[in-house]
Amino acid sequence: MNKKNPKISVLMSVYNGSSYLRESIESIQNQTFTEFEFIIVEDCSTDNSAEIIAEYAEKDQRIVVIINKENIGLTKSLNKGLKIARGEYIARQDADDVSLPSRLQKEALLLEKHPEISLVSCDIELIDSQGNFIGKCQRTCEPDLVSWYLLFYNRLAGHSQVMFRRQLVIELGGYDENRRYSQDYELWSRMIDVSKIAILPETLLKQRRHSESISASKSSEQKKYSLTQSKQNIEQLIDQEISLEEVEYLRGFWLGHWGPERFPDIKCIYCLNSILLKLYQSFTQQANLQKNVRSDLSKCLRILIGKQFIYWIQAPLTRQQGLLSKFKISYYAFIWYPSGVPTSWLRLCWKTLWGIPKIIVQPLGYRKIFMINK
């Protein structure tokens, strides 16, 4: 009799991950949802990762170990795991992160109830090398807006917290093995073209920030791959070539780089607005051809873009930039979101006259909470 396939295949690739590997493995073993297999690809570590994995595999029959004969990297290792996975859903887990106990249960439940969604992510708690809390990464937004944000950056903010439908990813060819870094962002960009992605308004993963992580040790290379993917996403939508510098300004526009050192000149602002207009027109045209898209998506996008310009109005400036720059920004904010400009200037004047402490602002997409109807 054939062994029953598990509902979920948890997929982890390990290379020299011994420092945090035990805690990461145990966070999966201690899930409230237990119907899973745990595929761990050991990618020729030079530390004692292999021994740690073998120790856990001997005690837990759900663990399936793949030992690479040579170091092939994360992308190829993940594809190797995908090929043998038997679960309907794939849950990613990195060897230094910690999944909260209800993560698999809650993500699988969403995929069960919403067949139109192919991937689910969540908000993230950031921890340091000792496991201490250092911040939160809140990326929740409506599913109809995930594809918009993915044009500019990896809205999901990580790889280790996602769960996706295995069959769709197999049909899409798996991870692109030409991508050494940002392979997750590249895959999400392909998936969003054929399905929806949801981000739960709940923290279900602790993402560890430490000096040995790829984000820290290979940040410049990772950024290059990521910006190149954003460039490809944008050019594909508007059918027009843009520079990496323009892509970086667009990313900063949405991620909230509002300080004086990132404040663009008026020529750059004009260029950004022109690209945003083309993106907005192409995006809404495509959305109108799709089913089950919110009817007021066009209005929602206009407000989103307008509010991003408004954050520039509220941002501190150098003496050389002055109020004139804010007036110029106000013009573009008014085009997108007329009713928001007077309010922003009233707040600015009130803050200036009465010396109210600077308001910490965040882009709208970071604050908006979306709850899927159950």
Side-chain angles (χ1 to χ4, degrees):
M1 182 180 292
N2 292 330
K3 187 177 180 180
K4 180 183 176 182
N5 286 341
K7 192 68 176 178
I8 298 170
S9 294
V10 181
L11 179 55
M12 173 191 286
S13 176
V14 180
Y15 176 70
N16 290 349
S18 61
S19 298
Y20 313 106
L21 186 55
R22 291 182 181 277
E23 186 179 5
S24 185
I25 290 176
E26 289 173 10
S27 77
I28 294 298
Q29 289 182 311
N30 295 329
Q31 290 290 303
T32 56
F33 185 98
T34 59
E35 188 189 340
F36 63 82
E37 65 175 353
F38 191 178
I39 300 173
I40 304 178
V41 184
E42 210 300 297
D43 195 21
C44 291
S45 298
T46 57
D47 63 4
N48 65 329
S49 293
E51 288 79 3
I52 294 173
I53 294 168
E55 175 188 331
Y56 281 93
E58 185 178 354
K59 300 175 182 177
D60 191 340
Q61 294 184 348
R62 295 174 300 180
I63 296 178
V64 180
V65 183
I66 303 174
I67 300 176
N68 291 340
K69 294 181 180 180
E70 60 180 359
N71 180 264
I72 60 175
L74 175 61
T75 313
K76 291 182 179 180
S77 293
L78 292 179
N79 277 341
K80 202 170 182 179
L82 276 176
K83 289 178 182 178
I84 71 160
R86 298 180 295 122
E88 181 180 354
Y89 306 139
I90 300 291
R92 276 283 291 113
Q93 173 79 12
D94 286 332
D96 50 2
D97 294 335
V98 179
S99 288
L100 298 186
S102 61
R103 177 198 156 195
L104 297 186
Q105 182 178 10
K106 290 181 177 180
E107 291 182 344
L109 180 62
L110 185 143
L111 292 176
E112 287 287 294
K113 291 189 173 183
H114 298 273
E116 76 281 5
I117 292 173
S118 65
L119 181 148
V120 57
S121 183
C122 61
D123 287 338
I124 298 168
E125 179 180 315
L126 305 178
I127 58 175
D128 63 14
S129 58
Q130 303 301 313
N132 299 313
F133 173 84
I134 57 175
K136 285 188 176 182
C137 194
Q138 296 175 296
R139 296 294 176 88
T140 304
C141 67
E142 295 187 30
D144 288 340
L145 294 174
V146 174
S147 55
W148 172 262
Y149 289 118
L150 281 176
L151 290 168
F152 311 103
Y153 64 98
N154 186 357
R155 177 74 185 189
L156 278 57
H159 198 176
S160 194
Q161 79 286 359
V162 305
M163 183 183 293
F164 54 79
R165 299 183 189 276
R166 178 180 60 86
Q167 187 58 38
L168 176 61
V169 172
I170 293 295
E171 291 171 0
L172 290 173
Y175 291 92
D176 183 351
E177 296 186 357
N178 293 316
R179 304 293 180 113
R180 185 171 178 80
Y181 305 108
S182 292
Q183 63 281 108
D184 53 341
Y185 182 24
E186 191 278 335
L187 179 58
W188 314 158
S189 297
R190 280 185 284 141
M191 293 180 73
I192 202 68
D193 285 339
V194 296
S195 62
K196 286 191 175 186
I197 291 175
I199 306 175
L200 283 168
E202 187 173 354
T203 300
L204 298 174
L205 182 91
K206 294 182 179 181
Q207 185 183 88
R208 197 181 303 271
R209 300 292 176 91
H210 57 96
S211 59
E212 299 173 8
S213 68
I214 291 177
S215 298
S217 61
K218 302 291 183 180
S219 59
S220 59
E221 294 177 68
Q222 191 176 51
K223 181 180 178 182
K224 181 180 177 182
Y225 276 90
S226 179
L227 284 173
T228 300
Q229 184 60 49
S230 299
K231 184 176 187 290
Q232 180 179 318
N233 293 347
I234 292 168
E235 290 178 344
Q236 181 178 325
L237 181 60
I238 63 176
D239 194 24
Q240 174 186 320
E241 188 173 345
I242 65 173
S243 68
L244 282 175
E245 183 181 13
E246 290 169 328
V247 174
E248 195 162 6
Y249 265 119
L250 282 164
R251 177 172 292 187
F253 180 82
W254 288 104
L255 285 176
H257 296 164
W258 312 115
E261 70 283 354
R262 296 291 300 173
F263 202 91
D265 58 36
I266 193 63
K267 183 178 179 181
C268 178
I269 294 169
Y270 171 80
C271 179
L272 284 178
N273 186 72
S274 298
I275 298 173
L276 285 167
L277 180 59
K278 291 176 182 177
L279 286 165
Y280 164 79
Q281 291 171 338
S282 299
F283 187 85
T284 51
Q285 286 173 4
Q286 285 192 9
N288 289 335
L289 300 175
Q290 299 173 7
K291 297 179 180 179
N292 301 320
V293 175
R294 57 181 294 172
S295 58
D296 63 341
L297 179 62
S298 176
K299 179 182 178 182
C300 178
L301 271 182
R302 294 190 69 89
I303 293 174
L304 277 178
I305 296 170
K307 286 193 173 184
Q308 297 305 107
F309 277 112
I310 285 172
Y311 289 126
W312 257 329
I313 298 174
Q314 298 175 348
L317 296 176
T318 64
R319 184 173 297 178
Q320 289 77 15
Q321 291 165 334
L323 287 177
L324 181 59
S325 296
K326 290 185 181 286
F327 280 120
K328 292 176 179 177
I329 292 290
S330 298
Y331 168 74
Y332 293 102
F334 186 81
I335 291 174
W336 293 100
Y337 182 36
S339 62
V341 175
T343 303
S344 67
W345 272 98
L346 284 172
R347 288 177 180 172
L348 180 64
C349 292
W350 180 266
K351 183 172 62 174
T352 303
L353 288 172
W354 296 101
I356 296 175
K358 295 176 182 177
I359 299 173
I360 298 174
V361 296
Q362 290 181 316
L364 177 66
Y366 281 55
R367 303 196 313 263
K368 190 163 186 175
I369 299 298
F370 170 72
M371 180 68 76
I372 292 180
N373 293 325
K374 291 184 166 58

